Amino acid sequence: MRSPQNDDVIPVILGTELPWRQGATVGLAVQDQWDSQVTVPISVAEDGTSRMAAPLPAPVMVNGELAAHADLEWQVDVHWQPGHTVRRRGLDSRELFADQPPLMLTWARSSRYGVTYGSRRYDLVRGGARPENALARVALRHLSLAAWVRAKAAEHDLSALPSEAGRRASLLASMLGGRRRYIDLFGGPLLPALRAMLATSAKTKEAYPNGDGVSLSSTEGVLTFAGIYARVADMKLADVRELADAALRAGVLRRGMVLRCAACEQKQFQTVEKLSQRWSCVRCNALNDLDRHAWKLPADEPTWYYDLHPVGRHMLSEHGEVPALLSAYLRKQRKGQRGMFDDLEEVAILRGNQPQVEVDLVAYTDDVLTVAECKTPGELTGKKGRQEVLKKCRAAAWLRADRLLFATTAEEWTQATRVMVENAVASFSEWGPLGSPQVEFVARLGRADTET
Ligand SMILES: [Zn+2]
């Protein structure tokens, strides 16, 4: 197609090629009331869900000819600013009202740009009431991604909660001051240094042959700042220092010394908060002097070391950084595009007390809902692998996802795994009328050459 103004070719996108997988609808608008703005007080819950504290004004028709038809009904579109909630996907009407009354005034649905509701009250309207009083005055709510996932699960008699891993991630996020900062730390340049704090040997010489760290046990180690810097690629020292300082302020990294108790000989990490000329042993409580016997080397002054918070260690030991890397990757991929990005990691879906499936990451961006799974390619093979894929299909169907993504930090997904996953998705029988979501694979996560 060519535009009349110039010869630039305008791309034509067919409905089937659009990124969202929703049926098309046609709406007619009332011109006089196309763009009315109203101010309504709202309250915001801890999970980010906003709720109107007062109902919207009655949607009275200003056009005289239209208002004359007493039995006319219309639909009211409400756009929230800023719009972050998941749109459409047939969410239960009740979930969209601020307080869910036993008898609903009218219906509402999640629509292309916000919420759409019916103008007419369906509950009791007394005969002879003024026409305005026959119209619905509704207070709506705007669900956060977490609340939306819970609401969508509830439609299938399921509950959606943060899994154990999800609780660890949200604790770290709240220490750091938000999910974005959590992703920047555990999905960012400092990650190799944080990972190196999970020691590979109880022997310091084996775990840290360059002398920039100390093993406290076979699984825990601490690094010097030089040790952190050496593991970060392509960054200026001052910038690494800034990142480390931010993590220290949040308490996710801790600065301290590695000391040995003179009484019980326990090697231990003592944070700067607990250090003074006299320090007490974590194991036997003996008071020790901060002298050379305690730190041994170097002969002049003790060295500062950096320790990762135990919750951070637990998270890394269970590969919880992989969803963080995926989140960072998905966010980066859409850099420069307008619109929003929101995600939620480690969600457990249960029926009663019975766990059904755990989802590593749910991401919502530009009206595309992604259900993502982080795995090593070896975990997705054979019968067990297929069962695992079918579970993710179930979660994707419940949430009406547009994209099912499998991500790995490994070099690549084997052809056999790709075929197995695609066959499992194709054989799944519970997809809605719009069919299966798009299946994608991401490999080499966390590296400059991440591949989709
Ligand atoms: Zn001791």
Side-chain angles (χ1 to χ4, degrees), residues 260-266 268 279-286 288:
R260 190 182 292 273
C261 173
C264 75
E265 308 240 309
Q266 172 77 33
Q268 56 200 269
W279 58 275
S280 69
C281 170
V282 290
R283 190 194 200 184
C284 75
N285 270 342
N288 286 264

Side-chain angles (χ1 to χ4, degrees), residues 58-85:
V60 179
M61 276 288 181
V62 295
N63 181 299
E65 275 178 68
L66 290 173
H69 294 274
D71 55 350
L72 189 69
E73 266 181 56
W74 55 99
Q75 303 188 0
V76 186
D77 272 346
V78 181
H79 303 193
W80 288 72
Q81 283 298 340
H84 269 229
T85 203

